[in-house]
Amino acid sequence: MFDVLIKNANLPDGREGIDIAIKGDKIVDVGPRIEAEAGEVIEASGRLVTPPFVDPHFHMDATLSLGLPRMNVSGTLLEGIALWAELRPTLTREALVERALRYCDLAVAQGLLAIRSHVDTSDPALVTAEALIEVREKVAPYIDLQLVAFPQDGYYRAKDGVESLNRALDMGLDIVGGIPHFERTMADGAASVSALCKIAADRGLPVDMHCDETDDPMSRHIETLAAETVRYGLQGRVAGSHLTSMHSMDNYYVSKLIPLMAEAEINVIPNPLINIMLQGRHDTYPKRRGMTRVRELMEAGLNVSFGHDCVMDPWYSMGSGDLLEVGHMAIHVAQMAGIEDKRKIFDALTVNSAKTMGLQGYGLEKGCNADLVILQARDTLEALRLKANRLVVMRRGKVIARSAPRFSELKLEGRPTAVDAADYAPLRPGEL
């Protein structure tokens, strides 16, 4: 007898009519028509069942702070950075914890059960690190939260930046971060990459750097990051986030750069919502898109995953914790509208991001953790088109969030009484 049996599910790999049997906190069987008793039977009714969404790039210390101490009037990256510098001295541990927990509530409702958050270590008080470590402990039963020691004002540029980052790692942050393009010079940026990779190698930690978040094609710290990754034997444990300068680099240089990144097994984390909003601000027309070369990086075999980055904070006044919104934007900005393109985009919100974060037991195969989401959509393509409603969110075999199916009631003579947008999926051969 199973604890939970999910019936008639469609899976991201295209299988349909699949049952998923759960006992305790594990998936114990996956296949068509599993005949067994179960404590709870959940009828998926031909809807998509997916592993949880995973956000490999977020700023939880700033989330939901929109309007404190004032609004970002210009909506630019530089004003957002200046605004955060105003807000940071006023932060309290209690307020940081409360905002982060509220965001985690929203994340669960969106089926987002793993998050990697950058934690600003530029203020030597490190109240951000203290708060997020507390949050990590509180949400552990329902969210895998990884914390990056992030020297937001620059590892060398910020006063006491070197010491503060090391103290934050000593406190228990999980990952070494950096922001080389924000150092005073290109040389300082390159030196920071080398120093931070050495720290990671010495401590046995992964690396995740904000890298080349700029329109400047000469910002090439990703090249240094790839080289230092190989030098210190960190292949597969390093992520380069944003990489927006690649959209402005010439093709000849990129033809050298991408193979170097592939040799280093760099995990690439574009942030479509933020990148398209903040980049290209000095352009008139033509105006650059502001996102890295997603298609080319995927075709070269690099692991590409998408982050949400910000929700209602000094840099981004929008956002809802919905990774499908991130993927929806990526389809448009990367011009990846083909069927296989969209499947790759969905993977970049789930399995690729899980690989970036090194999550264990992730997936829908026998023996995986019983973590899953039932979406009000037929398949991954429809989930992205609709930014589909999350009907059921499950963590370790327990339902932790539910939403009623979303439909509209109609009062039109001679027409149906209700409309479910999920019923508008493309017709298949033989369907009317």
Side-chain angles (χ1 to χ4, degrees), residues 6-10 16-20 42-49:
I6 298 173
K7 302 286 291 183
N8 194 28
N10 294 351
E16 298 186 352
I18 299 298
D19 297 347
I20 302 171
I42 299 176
E43 178 57 57
S45 302
R47 296 186 178 100
L48 177 66
V49 177

Side-chain angles (χ1 to χ4, degrees), residues 72 117 130 132 209 241 256 354 357 371 398:
N72 184 337
S117 176
E130 291 177 354
L132 269 295
M209 290 197 189
S241 299
K256 169 203 170 185
M357 288 183 61
D371 303 343
K398 304 292 185 184

Side-chain angles (χ1 to χ4, degrees), residues 58-72:
F58 195 66
H59 291 266
M60 198 172 287
D61 52 6
T63 196
L64 305 184
S65 65
L66 183 65
L68 300 175
R70 59 181 177 82
M71 297 294 287
N72 184 337

Side-chain angles (χ1 to χ4, degrees), residues 7-305:
K7 302 286 291 183
N8 194 28
N10 294 351
L11 302 188
D13 62 10
R15 287 179 288 170
E16 298 186 352
I18 299 298
D19 297 347
I20 302 171
I22 296 168
K23 192 166 184 63
D25 61 359
K26 299 291 183 183
I27 295 172
V28 294
D29 199 5
V30 179
R33 296 181 297 279
I34 296 175
E35 301 296 337
E37 296 293 322
E40 180 181 10
V41 176
I42 299 176
E43 178 57 57
S45 302
R47 296 186 178 100
L48 177 66
V49 177
T50 176
F53 295 104
V54 177
D55 185 355
H57 187 104
F58 195 66
H59 291 266
M60 198 172 287
D61 52 6
T63 196
L64 305 184
S65 65
L66 183 65
L68 300 175
R70 59 181 177 82
M71 297 294 287
N72 184 337
V73 177
S74 68
T76 61
L77 174 62
L78 291 179
E79 186 175 353
I81 291 171
L83 183 53
W84 177 246
E86 294 175 27
L87 176 60
R88 190 169 53 202
T90 72
L91 296 174
T92 66
R93 177 170 174 167
E94 294 74 20
L96 281 162
V97 169
E98 178 57 27
R99 283 202 306 271
L101 290 176
R102 286 192 68 219
Y103 180 76
C104 289
D105 296 340
L106 179 62
V108 167
Q110 299 284 25
L112 170 55
L113 302 187
I115 301 171
R116 176 179 287 182
S117 176
H118 294 259
V119 181
D120 186 359
T121 62
S122 296
D123 186 340
L126 293 178
V127 64
T128 49
E130 291 177 354
L132 269 295
I133 288 170
E134 180 180 342
V135 172
R136 184 178 62 189
E137 295 170 357
K138 287 180 179 292
V139 304
Y142 51 93
I143 288 179
D144 292 307
L145 178 59
Q146 296 178 354
L147 302 178
V148 183
F150 175 48
Q152 179 140 359
D153 292 350
Y155 181 62
Y156 291 129
R157 186 173 184 172
K159 183 181 179 182
D160 302 318
V162 173
E163 180 187 357
S164 294
L165 181 134
N166 279 295
R167 284 197 296 114
L169 293 172
D170 290 340
M171 291 167 64
L173 271 59
D174 308 294
I175 299 159
V176 179
I179 185 167
H181 58 279
F182 203 63
E183 301 291 351
R184 288 188 177 89
T185 66
M186 287 288 184
D188 281 355
S192 76
V193 171
S194 182
L196 290 162
C197 285
K198 185 178 188 307
I199 289 172
D202 291 345
R203 290 177 176 260
L205 297 177
V207 175
D208 191 331
M209 290 197 189
H210 286 58
C211 206
D212 303 325
E213 188 184 2
T214 170
D215 295 323
D216 179 6
M218 299 310 294
S219 185
R220 297 178 172 185
H221 295 296
I222 181 56
E223 179 183 72
T224 304
L225 181 59
E228 295 300 295
T229 296
V230 174
R231 177 185 176 192
Y232 286 107
L234 297 170
Q235 291 93 327
R237 293 163 48 194
V238 174
S241 299
H242 293 291
L243 305 183
T244 58
S245 67
M246 287 184 71
H247 71 221
S248 300
M249 293 173 180
D250 68 82
N251 291 334
Y252 180 82
Y253 174 68
V254 171
S255 73
K256 169 203 170 185
L257 176 60
I258 290 181
L260 178 60
M261 294 170 64
E263 178 189 355
E265 300 173 31
I266 298 290
N267 295 286
V268 177
I269 311 176
N271 298 283
L273 297 174
I274 307 304
N275 296 155
I276 191 66
M277 178 67 78
L278 296 180
Q279 300 304 309
R281 288 302 187 103
H282 294 285
D283 296 353
T284 52
Y285 289 94
K287 205 169 184 59
R288 284 169 286 185
R289 256 188 194 90
M291 196 164 74
T292 195
R293 301 183 183 218
V294 172
R295 183 187 297 279
E296 291 89 340
L297 291 161
M298 286 182 170
E299 289 176 349
L302 284 130
N303 183 52
V304 177
S305 52

